[in-house]
Structures are given as C-alpha cells and as structure tokens.
Amino acid sequence: VMQWLVGVPLIILIALLPVINPPLITTTATNFGVVMATFAMTPLIAIGLNVVVGQTGLLDLGYVGFYAVGAYVVALLTSPSSPLWGSTDHGFFSGPWAWLACVPLAIIITGITGVILGTPTLRVRGDCLAIVTLGFGEIVRLLADNLTDVTNGATGLQSVLYPEIGRSADSPGGVFSTANNTSSLNYGVWWYWFGIAAVIIVLIVIGNLERSR
C-alpha cells in the first residue's frame, strides 16, 4: 500500500513536468514537451537492458539493435516511402489505427530476431558474448545506414503512422501529430505521456516475469 501511496503521486508529478515547466530543468531553445518525449523512450531501453544484463547476467552490448529492428518494422509497414509497397496505399497498414497492428508485429519480429541471434551466441559467456553482441549492434547500424533502397539511409523513412487520436479543427491529425504544436499540450507532451504509460506497462510485465517460476 505504501508503494502505491508514494508511487502514484510521484508518477503524476513526473507526468505533469512538461505542463508545469519547472524553471530549473525546462529547456528554452527547444520545446520542453518534445525533449521529455525523447526522454520517455530511454527507460524502455534501460528496462530491457536491465533484464538482459542485470537480471540474467549476460553482457549484451548490442541490445539497442533490437530496438532498431522494432522501429524499422513499423516504419517499413506504414511509411509512404517504404519500398515494401508499390504505392502510398498500404491497405490495412494505411488506416488511422494501423499502428495497433504494427506494434505486436514489431514485437514478434524483434523476438524472432532475438531467438536467431541468441541460439548460437548464448553458448558463449563474458567477453566473447560482449564482442558477438557488439558486432550485432554494429551490423544493424551499418545496415540501416547503407541499405538506402530499404531504409532510406541516414535520412530514414518519413511519415510513419502514429495514433490518430483527438482530431479537431485545430489539430486534424490528432494530438500526436507534429502539427499539434501551438498549445501547451502539444504533440511532445502527448508522446511523453504515451511513453510513461508504456514504461508502466513494461515494468508491470517485467515485475510479474521476475516473480514467476
């Protein structure tokens, strides 16, 4: 009970940071909500890395490569510039709720990638495992930069779909659209809240996994 009494107000306070704009940490040259949205992505990587390195003791230096695999799956399925499709119409993956289908697909494909990498590499330990996984991370980065016909190189794939929620006359693309940048609750704040919700869900899943047999 005490954990909830302390945790819930703390989470609410953290969620309201880009709305309150505390003077000591608020950015001036860049919108604070957008900065916090980027900040919200980092704990997701850290939680997964903690499972691999902290809880299982595997020195994985290429973990972020899996993050890239999931991101590119969503981008390749929904971006108008994706080479997987012959036109900008991606059928089911062109709709406003296509991202709902992309998220589980990204998780599944990333998991398959992990199995493919893990099957041969989990036979090694320590420094050898670190070198193998570091190589995997570098391979993913080099492929993303050099397979320009697939990933569009360093420029990346543009107009990736997002949750089209809260459409209005002022924000026809919804609250997550980059066009929603005039109010205090701009797109950065909404992405920040989305990231916090994702972190909470992942923490609950990881906590149950840790306590399970």
Side-chain angles (χ1 to χ4, degrees):
V1 177
M2 286 301 299
Q3 289 180 338
W4 287 102
L5 290 177
V6 175
V8 172
L10 183 60
I11 292 172
I12 293 174
L13 176 62
I14 292 173
L16 291 177
L17 284 178
V19 179
I20 300 172
N21 291 321
L24 295 178
I25 63 173
T26 301
T27 54
T28 54
T30 307
N31 184 275
F32 188 48
V34 177
V35 172
M36 294 301 287
T38 305
F39 165 80
M41 301 177 192
T42 309
L44 290 173
I45 305 176
I47 293 167
L49 189 61
N50 181 59
V51 173
V52 177
V53 179
Q55 294 176 330
T56 66
L58 299 174
L59 187 55
D60 187 346
L61 299 182
Y63 176 80
V64 73
F66 297 108
Y67 201 76
V69 170
Y72 273 105
V73 168
V74 177
L76 287 169
L77 288 175
T78 65
S79 172
S81 57
S82 171
L84 295 182
W85 312 93
S87 65
T88 56
D89 182 13
H90 297 179
F92 178 77
F93 294 110
S94 295
W97 296 96
W99 62 276
L100 271 178
C102 291
V103 170
L105 279 175
I107 293 172
I108 292 170
I109 293 175
T110 304
I112 293 172
T113 306
V115 171
I116 293 173
L117 176 67
T119 301
T121 58
L122 289 181
R123 301 174 186 274
V124 297
R125 290 291 186 273
D127 294 343
C128 293
L129 179 63
I131 293 171
V132 171
T133 53
L134 179 62
F136 167 75
E138 280 298 292
I139 288 171
V140 172
R141 181 184 67 82
L142 291 171
L143 288 175
D145 284 340
N146 293 287
L147 290 179
T148 54
D149 293 337
V150 178
T151 64
N152 202 24
T155 304
L157 296 165
Q158 307 301 315
S159 303
V160 178
L161 289 190
Y162 54 87
E164 296 184 21
I165 300 173
R167 288 182 174 183
S168 64
D170 295 331
S171 182
V175 295
F176 290 98
S177 170
T178 53
N180 177 29
N181 59 2
T182 56
S183 66
S184 58
L185 296 180
N186 58 34
Y187 72 98
V189 176
W190 285 94
W191 277 115
Y192 174 60
W193 289 344
F194 185 88
I196 290 177
V199 168
I200 293 172
I201 292 172
V202 171
L203 283 174
I204 292 173
V205 172
I206 295 300
N208 290 332
L209 180 64
E210 185 178 2
R211 290 187 294 271
S212 68
R213 295 180 62 184

